[in-house]
Amino acid sequence: AQSVSQHNHHVILSEAASLELGCNYSYGGTVNLFWYVQYPGQHLQLLLKYFSGDPLVKGIKGFEAEFIKSKFSFNLRKPSVQWSDTAEYFCAVNARFSGGYNKLIFGAGTRLAVHP
Amino acid sequence: GAGVSQSPSNKVTEKGKDVELRCDPISGHTALYWYRQSLGQGLEFLIYFQGNSAPDKSGLPSDRFSAERTGGSVSTLTIQRTQQEDSAVYLCASSLTRGDYEQYFGPGTRLTVT
Protein backbone atom coordinates (compact mmCIF):
# COMPACT_ATOMS: atom_id res chain seq x y z
CA ALA A 1 0.00 0.00 0.00
CA GLN A 2 1.12 3.52 -0.67
CA SER A 3 2.33 5.52 2.29
CA VAL A 4 4.01 8.82 3.00
CA SER A 5 6.42 9.47 5.86
CA GLN A 6 7.30 12.86 7.21
CA HIS A 7 10.28 12.63 9.48
CA ASN A 8 9.74 15.67 11.64
CA HIS A 9 6.50 16.18 13.52
CA HIS A 10 7.51 19.47 15.14
CA VAL A 11 10.17 21.92 14.03
CA ILE A 12 11.07 25.14 15.79
CA LEU A 13 13.25 27.69 14.04
CA SER A 14 14.31 31.28 14.41
CA GLU A 15 13.63 33.74 11.63
CA ALA A 16 16.21 33.63 8.82
CA ALA A 17 17.13 30.02 9.59
CA SER A 18 17.08 27.52 6.76
CA LEU A 19 14.37 24.90 6.57
CA GLU A 20 14.32 21.37 5.26
CA LEU A 21 11.38 19.07 5.87
CA GLY A 22 11.77 15.44 4.93
CA CYS A 23 9.24 13.40 3.00
CA ASN A 24 9.55 9.83 1.78
CA TYR A 25 6.93 7.80 0.01
CA SER A 26 6.45 4.19 -0.87
CA TYR A 27 4.93 3.53 -4.25
CA GLY A 28 6.56 1.82 -7.16
CA GLY A 29 4.60 3.39 -9.97
CA THR A 30 4.36 6.84 -11.45
CA VAL A 31 3.57 9.42 -8.82
CA ASN A 32 2.78 13.04 -8.57
CA LEU A 33 4.02 14.79 -5.46
CA PHE A 34 2.68 17.72 -3.51
CA TRP A 35 3.35 19.87 -0.52
CA TYR A 36 0.33 21.48 1.07
CA VAL A 37 0.41 24.10 3.81
CA GLN A 38 -2.19 24.91 6.44
CA TYR A 39 -1.73 28.28 8.14
CA PRO A 40 -3.37 28.73 11.54
CA GLY A 41 -7.12 29.04 11.10
CA GLN A 42 -6.96 28.59 7.35
CA HIS A 43 -7.64 25.73 4.98
CA LEU A 44 -5.15 23.60 3.12
CA GLN A 45 -3.38 25.36 0.29
CA LEU A 46 -1.12 23.97 -2.39
CA LEU A 47 2.49 25.04 -1.86
CA LEU A 48 4.08 23.26 -4.80
CA LYS A 49 3.77 20.18 -6.96
CA TYR A 50 5.84 17.85 -9.07
CA PHE A 51 4.39 16.05 -12.07
CA SER A 52 7.37 15.51 -14.38
CA GLY A 53 10.42 17.24 -15.79
CA ASP A 54 12.88 19.19 -13.69
CA PRO A 55 13.03 17.44 -10.31
CA LEU A 56 13.65 20.75 -8.55
CA VAL A 57 10.34 22.54 -8.32
CA LYS A 58 9.68 26.00 -7.02
CA GLY A 59 6.51 26.99 -5.26
CA ILE A 60 5.00 30.02 -3.66
CA LYS A 61 6.64 32.12 -0.95
CA GLY A 62 10.18 31.03 -1.76
CA PHE A 63 9.67 27.32 -1.09
CA GLU A 64 11.20 24.64 -3.26
CA ALA A 65 11.30 20.86 -3.25
CA GLU A 66 13.51 18.29 -4.88
CA PHE A 67 12.24 14.97 -6.18
CA ILE A 68 14.89 12.26 -5.85
CA LYS A 69 13.42 9.19 -7.47
CA SER A 70 16.14 6.81 -6.28
CA LYS A 71 15.47 7.80 -2.69
CA PHE A 72 11.68 8.04 -3.01
CA SER A 73 11.99 11.47 -1.46
CA PHE A 74 10.48 14.89 -1.98
CA ASN A 75 11.99 17.18 0.64
CA LEU A 76 10.78 20.73 1.12
CA ARG A 77 13.28 23.55 1.54
CA LYS A 78 13.41 27.26 2.16
CA PRO A 79 16.68 29.13 2.57
CA SER A 80 15.40 31.70 5.06
CA VAL A 81 12.14 31.28 6.96
CA GLN A 82 9.91 34.05 8.21
CA TRP A 83 7.55 34.23 11.15
CA SER A 84 4.67 34.07 8.66
CA ASP A 85 5.80 30.57 7.63
CA THR A 86 4.48 29.24 10.91
CA ALA A 87 2.05 26.55 9.77
CA GLU A 88 1.55 22.85 9.34
CA TYR A 89 3.06 21.30 6.23
CA PHE A 90 1.79 18.14 4.57
CA CYS A 91 3.52 16.05 1.97
CA ALA A 92 1.21 14.08 -0.33
CA VAL A 93 1.48 11.52 -3.07
CA ASN A 94 -1.06 11.19 -5.81
CA ALA A 95 -1.24 7.82 -7.48
CA ARG A 96 -3.32 7.08 -10.52
CA PHE A 97 -5.76 4.29 -9.93
CA SER A 98 -7.32 1.94 -12.41
CA GLY A 99 -10.49 3.98 -12.47
CA GLY A 100 -8.47 6.85 -13.84
CA TYR A 101 -8.84 9.03 -10.81
CA ASN A 102 -6.43 10.34 -8.26
CA LYS A 103 -6.36 9.78 -4.54
CA LEU A 104 -4.06 11.80 -2.35
CA ILE A 105 -2.10 9.93 0.29
CA PHE A 106 -0.91 12.33 2.97
CA GLY A 107 1.88 12.25 5.48
CA ALA A 108 1.15 12.98 9.12
CA GLY A 109 2.24 16.58 8.80
CA THR A 110 5.00 18.74 10.28
CA ARG A 111 4.19 21.66 12.55
CA LEU A 112 6.63 24.49 11.98
CA ALA A 113 6.94 27.29 14.50
CA VAL A 114 9.12 30.24 13.56
CA HIS A 115 10.17 32.60 16.33
CA PRO A 116 11.00 36.24 15.59
CA GLY B 1 -14.04 32.57 -8.16
CA ALA B 2 -15.62 30.84 -5.21
CA GLY B 3 -13.69 28.02 -3.64
CA VAL B 4 -14.88 24.86 -1.96
CA SER B 5 -17.24 25.61 0.89
CA GLN B 6 -18.25 23.41 3.78
CA SER B 7 -20.88 23.69 6.46
CA PRO B 8 -21.13 23.81 9.34
CA SER B 9 -17.66 25.02 10.25
CA ASN B 10 -18.01 23.52 13.71
CA LYS B 11 -20.35 20.87 15.01
CA VAL B 12 -20.63 19.58 18.56
CA THR B 13 -22.84 16.57 19.03
CA GLU B 14 -23.61 14.00 21.67
CA LYS B 15 -22.46 10.44 21.31
CA GLY B 16 -25.08 8.39 19.51
CA LYS B 17 -26.56 11.23 17.50
CA ASP B 18 -26.45 11.43 13.70
CA VAL B 19 -24.70 14.31 11.93
CA GLU B 20 -24.66 15.60 8.36
CA LEU B 21 -21.74 17.51 6.90
CA ARG B 22 -22.11 19.43 3.67
CA CYS B 23 -19.67 20.23 0.89
CA ASP B 24 -20.14 22.62 -2.01
CA PRO B 25 -17.39 22.02 -4.58
CA ILE B 26 -16.06 24.53 -7.03
CA SER B 27 -18.58 25.02 -9.82
CA GLY B 28 -17.87 22.72 -12.74
CA HIS B 29 -15.64 20.35 -10.78
CA THR B 30 -16.76 16.81 -11.45
CA ALA B 31 -14.57 15.01 -8.94
CA LEU B 32 -15.15 15.38 -5.20
CA TYR B 33 -13.25 13.86 -2.31
CA TRP B 34 -13.81 13.59 1.43
CA TYR B 35 -10.87 13.34 3.85
CA ARG B 36 -10.62 13.20 7.62
CA GLN B 37 -7.95 14.86 9.73
CA SER B 38 -7.73 13.49 13.24
CA LEU B 39 -5.62 15.01 16.01
CA GLY B 40 -2.01 14.05 15.48
CA GLN B 41 -2.81 12.20 12.28
CA GLY B 42 -2.40 13.11 8.68
CA LEU B 43 -5.28 13.38 6.30
CA GLU B 44 -7.11 10.15 5.69
CA PHE B 45 -9.02 9.52 2.46
CA LEU B 46 -12.66 8.59 2.96
CA ILE B 47 -14.54 8.57 -0.35
CA TYR B 48 -14.36 9.79 -3.92
CA PHE B 49 -17.20 10.90 -6.19
CA GLN B 50 -17.17 11.22 -9.93
CA GLY B 51 -20.38 12.98 -10.78
CA ASN B 52 -23.03 11.46 -8.54
CA SER B 53 -21.46 8.03 -8.26
CA ALA B 54 -18.85 6.90 -5.75
CA PRO B 55 -16.40 4.50 -7.39
CA ASP B 56 -14.20 4.38 -4.31
CA LYS B 57 -15.64 4.19 -0.81
CA SER B 58 -12.71 2.26 0.54
CA GLY B 59 -11.76 4.85 3.13
CA LEU B 60 -15.06 4.95 4.98
CA PRO B 61 -14.18 3.64 8.45
CA SER B 62 -17.45 1.83 9.18
CA ASP B 63 -20.98 1.35 7.94
CA ARG B 64 -22.01 4.25 10.16
CA PHE B 65 -20.47 6.51 7.53
CA SER B 66 -22.20 7.22 4.25
CA ALA B 67 -22.09 9.94 1.64
CA GLU B 68 -24.07 11.04 -1.33
CA ARG B 69 -23.78 13.61 -4.05
CA THR B 70 -26.67 15.07 -5.95
CA GLY B 71 -26.80 16.98 -9.22
CA GLY B 72 -23.10 16.44 -9.65
CA SER B 73 -22.53 19.20 -7.15
CA VAL B 74 -23.28 19.27 -3.42
CA SER B 75 -22.20 16.33 -1.32
CA THR B 76 -23.34 15.27 2.14
CA LEU B 77 -21.34 13.07 4.49
CA THR B 78 -23.54 11.43 7.11
CA ILE B 79 -22.27 9.83 10.30
CA GLN B 80 -24.84 7.78 12.19
CA ARG B 81 -24.68 6.97 15.88
CA THR B 82 -21.58 9.10 16.35
CA GLN B 83 -18.77 7.89 18.57
CA GLN B 84 -16.05 9.88 20.30
CA GLU B 85 -13.45 8.53 17.90
CA ASP B 86 -15.34 10.24 15.07
CA SER B 87 -14.14 13.60 16.43
CA ALA B 88 -11.97 15.11 13.71
CA VAL B 89 -11.87 17.75 11.01
CA TYR B 90 -13.66 16.56 7.89
CA LEU B 91 -12.27 18.06 4.72
CA CYS B 92 -13.78 18.15 1.28
CA ALA B 93 -11.82 18.71 -1.92
CA SER B 94 -12.74 18.95 -5.56
CA SER B 95 -10.92 18.76 -8.87
CA LEU B 96 -11.95 19.66 -12.36
CA THR B 97 -11.94 16.11 -13.65
CA ARG B 98 -11.17 12.70 -12.27
CA GLY B 99 -7.79 12.79 -13.95
CA ASP B 100 -6.92 16.26 -12.73
CA TYR B 101 -4.06 16.05 -10.29
CA GLU B 102 -4.72 19.20 -8.34
CA GLN B 103 -7.34 19.11 -5.63
CA TYR B 104 -8.75 22.23 -4.00
CA PHE B 105 -9.69 21.96 -0.36
CA GLY B 106 -12.47 23.51 1.65
CA PRO B 107 -12.04 24.93 5.16
CA GLY B 108 -13.31 21.77 6.81
CA THR B 109 -15.91 20.94 9.43
CA ARG B 110 -14.61 20.40 12.95
CA LEU B 111 -16.72 17.66 14.54
CA THR B 112 -16.61 17.12 18.27
CA VAL B 113 -18.49 14.19 19.76
CA THR B 114 -19.05 14.53 23.50
Side-chain angles (χ1 to χ4, degrees):
Chain A
Q2 302 84 16
S3 65
V4 177
S5 297
Q6 292 184 240
H7 315 303
N8 314 98
H9 295 296
H10 290 92
V11 173
I12 300 173
L13 294 173
S14 298
E15 275 194 318
S18 64
L19 170 72
E20 180 159 3
L21 301 182
C23 173
N24 285 87
Y25 66 93
S26 65
Y27 183 69
T30 302
V31 294
N32 302 298
L33 299 157
F34 302 81
W35 277 96
Y36 280 86
V37 61
Q38 189 169 28
Y39 297 104
Q42 297 187 28
H43 60 271
L44 273 173
Q45 301 171 42
L46 182 65
L47 198 56
L48 50 76
K49 61 190 177 188
Y50 172 80
F51 289 169
S52 63
D54 188 344
L56 183 63
V57 292
K58 296 190 183 298
I60 60 172
K61 304 186 180 185
F63 285 90
E64 64 179 31
E66 185 174 13
F67 170 51
I68 303 179
K69 188 175 181 179
S70 60
K71 295 185 178 180
F72 296 89
S73 70
F74 190 56
N75 292 353
L76 181 70
R77 300 193 293 250
K78 186 171 184 179
S80 176
V81 294
Q82 300 173 311
W83 175 79
S84 58
D85 294 325
T86 295
E88 189 160 16
Y89 294 81
F90 294 92
C91 181
V93 170
N94 181 316
R96 185 67 73 96
F97 286 78
S98 59
Y101 79 97
N102 304 284
K103 182 165 72 177
L104 284 173
I105 311 296
F106 284 88
T110 297
R111 287 187 183 274
L112 171 66
V114 180
H115 295 299
Chain B
V4 178
S5 61
Q6 292 185 245
S7 61
S9 54
N10 281 285
K11 176 73 177 178
V12 180
T13 190
E14 293 180 352
K15 178 181 171 182
K17 300 281 190 183
D18 297 352
V19 294
E20 283 190 354
L21 312 179
R22 176 188 168 106
C23 170
D24 259 295
I26 293 172
S27 178
H29 280 197
T30 63
L32 185 148
Y33 308 79
W34 282 98
Y35 295 88
R36 179 169 72 173
Q37 185 178 15
S38 303
L39 190 63
Q41 308 274 338
L43 283 86
E44 172 191 15
F45 167 81
L46 297 179
I47 187 170
Y48 153 72
F49 284 93
Q50 177 58 39
N52 292 336
S53 63
D56 188 351
K57 307 177 183 179
S58 62
L60 294 178
S62 76
D63 59 7
R64 296 185 296 104
F65 287 72
S66 63
E68 65 175 13
R69 189 179 184 194
T70 55
S73 181
V74 172
S75 176
T76 303
L77 177 69
T78 301
I79 309 174
Q80 295 178 307
R81 305 181 302 281
T82 51
Q83 304 293 313
Q84 287 186 331
E85 61 263 28
D86 299 335
S87 296
V89 176
Y90 290 82
L91 292 165
C92 177
S94 70
S95 63
L96 188 59
T97 68
R98 66 180 184 180
D100 190 2
Y101 298 130
E102 189 162 342
Q103 297 180 20
Y104 298 84
F105 283 81
T109 294
R110 182 175 296 278
L111 175 66
T112 303
V113 182
T114 61

